[in-house]
Each structure stands twice: as structure tokens, then as C-alpha cells.
Amino acid sequence: MPINKDLIEKRKRIKGNNPDFVRPESWRYKRLETTWRKPKGIDHHQRKQKSRGRPGLVKVGYGGPKDARGLHPSGYTDNLVHNIADLEKLDPKTDGIRFGHSVGRKKRLEIVAKAVESKFKIFNARVSVKKDTEADKHGN
């Protein structure tokens, strides 16, 4: 059951009112992706907001609710973990964990075992405790 369900719902409702921010001229040229890039030219029509019908610019006012920022879609807060000491600072009822990209397999296994024991929500485990412990027994 997701926690902070009301905050996630509020964020989704506010996001629904925001325009779809697309890269300028991406509808015109196939080689351009639609992902947002800020227009920076001195005479750029979208930056100047001169003509009607142009998509909106990304601005501060379009942000989501302050109390819902930093929440994973599951409702848990998203926290970066590099070692077991980082894990001990968190609360398993409200905090989820995401491993830093520099955490290796050996340390990741230790942290996963501790996190499963403490009942943390893990977002990017990339290892399963059972498979890896069996592989370690066989010397692989």
C-alpha cells in the first residue's frame, strides 16, 4: 500500500494542469527530440513569447507542491545510499533507498541484506539475496 497517497495525488493533479513542455521546433524537424531544451537565441520567438500558439516555457511557477517534492511514485522519500551507515540514519516507514552508482556488488549485497532485514523499500537493488548467496556458495 503506497504511503503519502494524498500528496502523490495532489502532485498528479497539479501536473495535469501544466502544459507539455516540448523542445522548440521539434515538431518541425524529425532529427530533434521532443525533450525540453531552453531556447537561447537572441531573437528566438518562443523565448520572447512573441507569437500565439507556441508552447510555454519552463518556469518556476510550474513546480509541484512543496510537500510532495522528492517523493518516489510509491510515496516513499528517495534517498541515496552508499554504505550501511547511511542506511542507519533513515526510517523504513517513510524512507526508500536508492544505491549510488559507485556501490559495488559486494557492498551492495551487504546493504541489501540489512535493508531487507529492516524492511526498507529498495528502488534499484539489481541483486537478489537468494541468487547471489547460492552463487557465492558454489564459488562463482
Side-chain angles (χ1 to χ4, degrees):
M1 183 178 117
I3 62 171
N4 295 325
K5 201 172 188 177
D6 52 335
L7 293 177
I8 299 294
E9 201 60 43
K10 183 179 178 184
R11 182 170 67 184
K12 190 183 284 186
R13 193 173 57 249
I14 289 174
K15 191 176 172 79
N17 295 333
N18 290 353
D20 294 326
F21 298 111
V22 293
R23 183 176 181 170
E25 304 290 311
S26 64
W27 53 86
R28 191 171 183 191
Y29 302 108
K30 197 131 180 104
R31 64 180 178 265
L32 294 180
E33 296 292 325
T34 58
T35 53
W36 174 253
R37 294 288 186 274
K38 184 175 180 176
K40 294 180 180 157
I42 58 170
D43 290 329
H44 199 283
H45 50 264
Q46 191 171 354
R47 185 188 62 79
K48 287 182 164 184
Q49 296 181 324
K50 283 282 187 183
S51 57
R52 295 182 189 169
R54 297 288 178 178
L57 290 172
V58 174
K59 293 180 183 169
V60 171
Y62 287 119
K66 198 171 193 178
D67 47 359
R69 282 187 205 147
L71 288 182
H72 188 263
S74 63
Y76 291 90
T77 59
D78 205 345
N79 297 288
L80 203 57
V81 172
H82 292 285
N83 52 41
I84 294 179
D86 294 342
L87 199 65
E88 292 167 357
K89 299 173 189 171
L90 304 174
D91 177 25
K93 292 180 181 171
T94 58
D95 298 326
I97 62 171
R98 181 179 308 280
F99 293 109
H101 80 278
S102 61
V103 179
R105 181 176 174 272
K106 185 176 168 184
K107 194 186 291 185
R108 189 177 290 252
L109 276 171
E110 293 173 12
I111 299 173
V112 165
K114 179 85 171 164
V116 168
E117 178 186 313
S118 302
K119 298 182 181 173
F120 275 99
K121 174 86 170 163
I122 305 172
F123 301 133
N124 66 340
R126 282 198 326 217
V127 292
S128 65
V129 180
K130 287 183 182 177
K131 286 181 184 175
D132 285 327
T133 52
E134 288 176 18
D136 289 339
K137 286 180 188 174
H138 299 298
N140 293 336

PDB file of all heavy atoms in Angstrom, residues 54-79:
ATOM      1  N   ARG A  54       2.503  29.090 -29.479  1.00  0.00           N
ATOM      2  CA  ARG A  54       3.786  28.468 -29.156  1.00  0.00           C
ATOM      3  C   ARG A  54       3.681  27.827 -27.778  1.00  0.00           C
ATOM      4  O   ARG A  54       3.027  28.370 -26.889  1.00  0.00           O
ATOM      5  CB  ARG A  54       4.915  29.502 -29.144  1.00  0.00           C
ATOM      6  CG  ARG A  54       5.158  30.149 -30.468  1.00  0.00           C
ATOM      7  CD  ARG A  54       5.808  29.181 -31.425  1.00  0.00           C
ATOM      8  NE  ARG A  54       5.995  29.801 -32.724  1.00  0.00           N
ATOM      9  CZ  ARG A  54       6.570  29.200 -33.743  1.00  0.00           C
ATOM     10  NH1 ARG A  54       6.991  27.969 -33.624  1.00  0.00           N
ATOM     11  NH2 ARG A  54       6.716  29.814 -34.879  1.00  0.00           N
ATOM     12  N   PRO A  55       4.358  26.695 -27.585  1.00  0.00           N
ATOM     13  CA  PRO A  55       4.317  26.049 -26.266  1.00  0.00           C
ATOM     14  C   PRO A  55       4.937  26.942 -25.191  1.00  0.00           C
ATOM     15  O   PRO A  55       5.778  27.789 -25.483  1.00  0.00           O
ATOM     16  CB  PRO A  55       5.157  24.788 -26.449  1.00  0.00           C
ATOM     17  CG  PRO A  55       5.240  24.582 -27.909  1.00  0.00           C
ATOM     18  CD  PRO A  55       5.102  25.912 -28.553  1.00  0.00           C
ATOM     19  N   GLY A  56       4.525  26.726 -23.941  1.00  0.00           N
ATOM     20  CA  GLY A  56       5.029  27.519 -22.840  1.00  0.00           C
ATOM     21  C   GLY A  56       6.478  27.211 -22.515  1.00  0.00           C
ATOM     22  O   GLY A  56       7.016  26.172 -22.893  1.00  0.00           O
ATOM     23  N   LEU A  57       7.096  28.140 -21.802  1.00  0.00           N
ATOM     24  CA  LEU A  57       8.465  27.943 -21.334  1.00  0.00           C
ATOM     25  C   LEU A  57       8.431  27.354 -19.930  1.00  0.00           C
ATOM     26  O   LEU A  57       7.508  27.616 -19.156  1.00  0.00           O
ATOM     27  CB  LEU A  57       9.196  29.283 -21.277  1.00  0.00           C
ATOM     28  CG  LEU A  57       9.543  29.938 -22.603  1.00  0.00           C
ATOM     29  CD1 LEU A  57      10.089  31.327 -22.345  1.00  0.00           C
ATOM     30  CD2 LEU A  57      10.560  29.116 -23.348  1.00  0.00           C
ATOM     31  N   VAL A  58       9.458  26.606 -19.600  1.00  0.00           N
ATOM     32  CA  VAL A  58       9.577  26.073 -18.247  1.00  0.00           C
ATOM     33  C   VAL A  58       9.909  27.231 -17.315  1.00  0.00           C
ATOM     34  O   VAL A  58      10.851  27.982 -17.561  1.00  0.00           O
ATOM     35  CB  VAL A  58      10.686  25.000 -18.194  1.00  0.00           C
ATOM     36  CG1 VAL A  58      10.907  24.546 -16.781  1.00  0.00           C
ATOM     37  CG2 VAL A  58      10.322  23.831 -19.082  1.00  0.00           C
ATOM     38  N   LYS A  59       9.104  27.382 -16.265  1.00  0.00           N
ATOM     39  CA  LYS A  59       9.317  28.469 -15.311  1.00  0.00           C
ATOM     40  C   LYS A  59       9.110  27.937 -13.896  1.00  0.00           C
ATOM     41  O   LYS A  59       8.555  26.859 -13.689  1.00  0.00           O
ATOM     42  CB  LYS A  59       8.324  29.608 -15.559  1.00  0.00           C
ATOM     43  CG  LYS A  59       8.546  30.323 -16.869  1.00  0.00           C
ATOM     44  CD  LYS A  59       7.532  31.426 -17.024  1.00  0.00           C
ATOM     45  CE  LYS A  59       7.699  32.098 -18.372  1.00  0.00           C
ATOM     46  NZ  LYS A  59       6.588  32.984 -18.657  1.00  0.00           N
ATOM     47  N   VAL A  60       9.517  28.726 -12.920  1.00  0.00           N
ATOM     48  CA  VAL A  60       9.442  28.340 -11.519  1.00  0.00           C
ATOM     49  C   VAL A  60       8.003  28.053 -11.102  1.00  0.00           C
ATOM     50  O   VAL A  60       7.728  27.130 -10.346  1.00  0.00           O
ATOM     51  CB  VAL A  60      10.052  29.457 -10.633  1.00  0.00           C
ATOM     52  CG1 VAL A  60       9.788  29.185  -9.184  1.00  0.00           C
ATOM     53  CG2 VAL A  60      11.535  29.563 -10.888  1.00  0.00           C
ATOM     54  N   GLY A  61       7.059  28.816 -11.593  1.00  0.00           N
ATOM     55  CA  GLY A  61       5.677  28.695 -11.167  1.00  0.00           C
ATOM     56  C   GLY A  61       5.010  27.376 -11.513  1.00  0.00           C
ATOM     57  O   GLY A  61       3.953  27.054 -10.986  1.00  0.00           O
ATOM     58  N   TYR A  62       5.614  26.604 -12.411  1.00  0.00           N
ATOM     59  CA  TYR A  62       5.033  25.331 -12.811  1.00  0.00           C
ATOM     60  C   TYR A  62       5.440  24.172 -11.907  1.00  0.00           C
ATOM     61  O   TYR A  62       5.079  23.039 -12.153  1.00  0.00           O
ATOM     62  CB  TYR A  62       5.434  24.983 -14.246  1.00  0.00           C
ATOM     63  CG  TYR A  62       4.730  25.810 -15.288  1.00  0.00           C
ATOM     64  CD1 TYR A  62       5.454  26.632 -16.148  1.00  0.00           C
ATOM     65  CD2 TYR A  62       3.350  25.766 -15.425  1.00  0.00           C
ATOM     66  CE1 TYR A  62       4.821  27.381 -17.113  1.00  0.00           C
ATOM     67  CE2 TYR A  62       2.712  26.513 -16.389  1.00  0.00           C
ATOM     68  CZ  TYR A  62       3.447  27.311 -17.227  1.00  0.00           C
ATOM     69  OH  TYR A  62       2.811  28.044 -18.181  1.00  0.00           O
ATOM     70  N   GLY A  63       6.205  24.436 -10.863  1.00  0.00           N
ATOM     71  CA  GLY A  63       6.674  23.370  -9.975  1.00  0.00           C
ATOM     72  C   GLY A  63       5.533  22.709  -9.225  1.00  0.00           C
ATOM     73  O   GLY A  63       4.444  23.275  -9.071  1.00  0.00           O
ATOM     74  N   GLY A  64       5.777  21.518  -8.742  1.00  0.00           N
ATOM     75  CA  GLY A  64       4.770  20.785  -7.991  1.00  0.00           C
ATOM     76  C   GLY A  64       4.663  21.281  -6.562  1.00  0.00           C
ATOM     77  O   GLY A  64       5.376  22.198  -6.151  1.00  0.00           O
ATOM     78  N   PRO A  65       3.783  20.688  -5.782  1.00  0.00           N
ATOM     79  CA  PRO A  65       3.628  21.118  -4.387  1.00  0.00           C
ATOM     80  C   PRO A  65       4.896  20.849  -3.575  1.00  0.00           C
ATOM     81  O   PRO A  65       5.547  19.818  -3.759  1.00  0.00           O
ATOM     82  CB  PRO A  65       2.463  20.281  -3.879  1.00  0.00           C
ATOM     83  CG  PRO A  65       2.322  19.164  -4.831  1.00  0.00           C
ATOM     84  CD  PRO A  65       2.885  19.611  -6.134  1.00  0.00           C
ATOM     85  N   LYS A  66       5.233  21.764  -2.699  1.00  0.00           N
ATOM     86  CA  LYS A  66       6.480  21.699  -1.951  1.00  0.00           C
ATOM     87  C   LYS A  66       6.570  20.437  -1.092  1.00  0.00           C
ATOM     88  O   LYS A  66       7.621  19.822  -0.990  1.00  0.00           O
ATOM     89  CB  LYS A  66       6.598  22.936  -1.069  1.00  0.00           C
ATOM     90  CG  LYS A  66       7.978  23.214  -0.571  1.00  0.00           C
ATOM     91  CD  LYS A  66       8.038  24.567   0.097  1.00  0.00           C
ATOM     92  CE  LYS A  66       9.467  24.993   0.323  1.00  0.00           C
ATOM     93  NZ  LYS A  66       9.539  26.325   0.916  1.00  0.00           N
ATOM     94  N   ASP A  67       5.446  20.042  -0.478  1.00  0.00           N
ATOM     95  CA  ASP A  67       5.480  18.887   0.409  1.00  0.00           C
ATOM     96  C   ASP A  67       5.560  17.565  -0.341  1.00  0.00           C
ATOM     97  O   ASP A  67       5.850  16.535   0.251  1.00  0.00           O
ATOM     98  CB  ASP A  67       4.282  18.897   1.360  1.00  0.00           C
ATOM     99  CG  ASP A  67       2.972  19.166   0.642  1.00  0.00           C
ATOM    100  OD1 ASP A  67       3.000  19.368  -0.578  1.00  0.00           O
ATOM    101  OD2 ASP A  67       1.924  19.185   1.314  1.00  0.00           O
ATOM    102  N   ALA A  68       5.352  17.575  -1.653  1.00  0.00           N
ATOM    103  CA  ALA A  68       5.427  16.334  -2.436  1.00  0.00           C
ATOM    104  C   ALA A  68       6.742  16.218  -3.205  1.00  0.00           C
ATOM    105  O   ALA A  68       6.965  15.219  -3.889  1.00  0.00           O
ATOM    106  CB  ALA A  68       4.260  16.251  -3.415  1.00  0.00           C
ATOM    107  N   ARG A  69       7.620  17.208  -3.095  1.00  0.00           N
ATOM    108  CA  ARG A  69       8.893  17.146  -3.814  1.00  0.00           C
ATOM    109  C   ARG A  69       9.806  16.090  -3.215  1.00  0.00           C
ATOM    110  O   ARG A  69       9.871  15.937  -1.999  1.00  0.00           O
ATOM    111  CB  ARG A  69       9.596  18.491  -3.773  1.00  0.00           C
ATOM    112  CG  ARG A  69       8.986  19.451  -4.752  1.00  0.00           C
ATOM    113  CD  ARG A  69       9.766  20.729  -4.852  1.00  0.00           C
ATOM    114  NE  ARG A  69       8.836  21.764  -5.293  1.00  0.00           N
ATOM    115  CZ  ARG A  69       8.899  23.021  -4.940  1.00  0.00           C
ATOM    116  NH1 ARG A  69       9.840  23.427  -4.127  1.00  0.00           N
ATOM    117  NH2 ARG A  69       8.026  23.878  -5.381  1.00  0.00           N
ATOM    118  N   GLY A  70      10.510  15.381  -4.062  1.00  0.00           N
ATOM    119  CA  GLY A  70      11.447  14.372  -3.587  1.00  0.00           C
ATOM    120  C   GLY A  70      10.786  13.047  -3.278  1.00  0.00           C
ATOM    121  O   GLY A  70      11.455  12.131  -2.803  1.00  0.00           O
ATOM    122  N   LEU A  71       9.502  12.919  -3.540  1.00  0.00           N
ATOM    123  CA  LEU A  71       8.822  11.653  -3.289  1.00  0.00           C
ATOM    124  C   LEU A  71       8.897  10.760  -4.518  1.00  0.00           C
ATOM    125  O   LEU A  71       8.709  11.217  -5.644  1.00  0.00           O
ATOM    126  CB  LEU A  71       7.343  11.886  -2.939  1.00  0.00           C
ATOM    127  CG  LEU A  71       7.021  12.485  -1.586  1.00  0.00           C
ATOM    128  CD1 LEU A  71       5.517  12.579  -1.417  1.00  0.00           C
ATOM    129  CD2 LEU A  71       7.606  11.652  -0.471  1.00  0.00           C
ATOM    130  N   HIS A  72       9.176   9.505  -4.281  1.00  0.00           N
ATOM    131  CA  HIS A  72       9.122   8.481  -5.324  1.00  0.00           C
ATOM    132  C   HIS A  72       7.649   8.241  -5.635  1.00  0.00           C
ATOM    133  O   HIS A  72       6.786   8.487  -4.792  1.00  0.00           O
ATOM    134  CB  HIS A  72       9.789   7.213  -4.775  1.00  0.00           C
ATOM    135  CG  HIS A  72       9.987   6.148  -5.784  1.00  0.00           C
ATOM    136  ND1 HIS A  72       9.104   5.110  -5.931  1.00  0.00           N
ATOM    137  CD2 HIS A  72      10.964   5.951  -6.708  1.00  0.00           C
ATOM    138  CE1 HIS A  72       9.532   4.310  -6.889  1.00  0.00           C
ATOM    139  NE2 HIS A  72      10.649   4.804  -7.382  1.00  0.00           N
ATOM    140  N   PRO A  73       7.290   7.760  -6.844  1.00  0.00           N
ATOM    141  CA  PRO A  73       5.882   7.475  -7.142  1.00  0.00           C
ATOM    142  C   PRO A  73       5.222   6.502  -6.160  1.00  0.00           C
ATOM    143  O   PRO A  73       3.999   6.476  -6.041  1.00  0.00           O
ATOM    144  CB  PRO A  73       5.926   6.879  -8.544  1.00  0.00           C
ATOM    145  CG  PRO A  73       7.136   7.474  -9.161  1.00  0.00           C
ATOM    146  CD  PRO A  73       8.124   7.649  -8.044  1.00  0.00           C
ATOM    147  N   SER A  74       6.022   5.730  -5.441  1.00  0.00           N
ATOM    148  CA  SER A  74       5.457   4.819  -4.450  1.00  0.00           C
ATOM    149  C   SER A  74       5.042   5.561  -3.174  1.00  0.00           C
ATOM    150  O   SER A  74       4.359   4.998  -2.328  1.00  0.00           O
ATOM    151  CB  SER A  74       6.477   3.738  -4.086  1.00  0.00           C
ATOM    152  OG  SER A  74       7.606   4.321  -3.479  1.00  0.00           O
ATOM    153  N   GLY A  75       5.482   6.808  -3.019  1.00  0.00           N
ATOM    154  CA  GLY A  75       5.136   7.594  -1.844  1.00  0.00           C
ATOM    155  C   GLY A  75       6.266   7.722  -0.840  1.00  0.00           C
ATOM    156  O   GLY A  75       6.213   8.547   0.062  1.00  0.00           O
ATOM    157  N   TYR A  76       7.302   6.896  -0.977  1.00  0.00           N
ATOM    158  CA  TYR A  76       8.453   6.973  -0.079  1.00  0.00           C
ATOM    159  C   TYR A  76       9.392   8.084  -0.538  1.00  0.00           C
ATOM    160  O   TYR A  76       9.446   8.416  -1.717  1.00  0.00           O
ATOM    161  CB  TYR A  76       9.225   5.649  -0.076  1.00  0.00           C
ATOM    162  CG  TYR A  76       8.495   4.512   0.575  1.00  0.00           C
ATOM    163  CD1 TYR A  76       7.653   3.685  -0.158  1.00  0.00           C
ATOM    164  CD2 TYR A  76       8.648   4.247   1.923  1.00  0.00           C
ATOM    165  CE1 TYR A  76       6.981   2.629   0.434  1.00  0.00           C
ATOM    166  CE2 TYR A  76       7.990   3.197   2.528  1.00  0.00           C
ATOM    167  CZ  TYR A  76       7.154   2.398   1.781  1.00  0.00           C
ATOM    168  OH  TYR A  76       6.497   1.366   2.377  1.00  0.00           O
ATOM    169  N   THR A  77      10.166   8.656   0.399  1.00  0.00           N
ATOM    170  CA  THR A  77      11.183   9.624   0.002  1.00  0.00           C
ATOM    171  C   THR A  77      12.345   8.878  -0.638  1.00  0.00           C
ATOM    172  O   THR A  77      12.648   7.744  -0.277  1.00  0.00           O
ATOM    173  CB  THR A  77      11.706  10.436   1.206  1.00  0.00           C
ATOM    174  OG1 THR A  77      12.257   9.535   2.165  1.00  0.00           O
ATOM    175  CG2 THR A  77      10.618  11.262   1.830  1.00  0.00           C
ATOM    176  N   ASP A  78      12.976   9.521  -1.591  1.00  0.00           N
ATOM    177  CA  ASP A  78      14.057   8.894  -2.350  1.00  0.00           C
ATOM    178  C   ASP A  78      15.389   9.311  -1.742  1.00  0.00           C
ATOM    179  O   ASP A  78      15.734  10.494  -1.734  1.00  0.00           O
ATOM    180  CB  ASP A  78      13.973   9.363  -3.799  1.00  0.00           C
ATOM    181  CG  ASP A  78      14.599   8.396  -4.764  1.00  0.00           C
ATOM    182  OD1 ASP A  78      15.348   7.516  -4.302  1.00  0.00           O
ATOM    183  OD2 ASP A  78      14.352   8.513  -5.973  1.00  0.00           O
ATOM    184  N   ASN A  79      16.144   8.341  -1.176  1.00  0.00           N
ATOM    185  CA  ASN A  79      17.401   8.643  -0.505  1.00  0.00           C
ATOM    186  C   ASN A  79      18.531   7.851  -1.132  1.00  0.00           C
ATOM    187  O   ASN A  79      18.406   6.656  -1.367  1.00  0.00           O
ATOM    188  CB  ASN A  79      17.312   8.283   0.984  1.00  0.00           C
ATOM    189  CG  ASN A  79      16.262   9.103   1.680  1.00  0.00           C
ATOM    190  OD1 ASN A  79      16.457  10.280   1.892  1.00  0.00           O
ATOM    191  ND2 ASN A  79      15.131   8.489   2.005  1.00  0.00           N
TER     192      ASN A  79
END
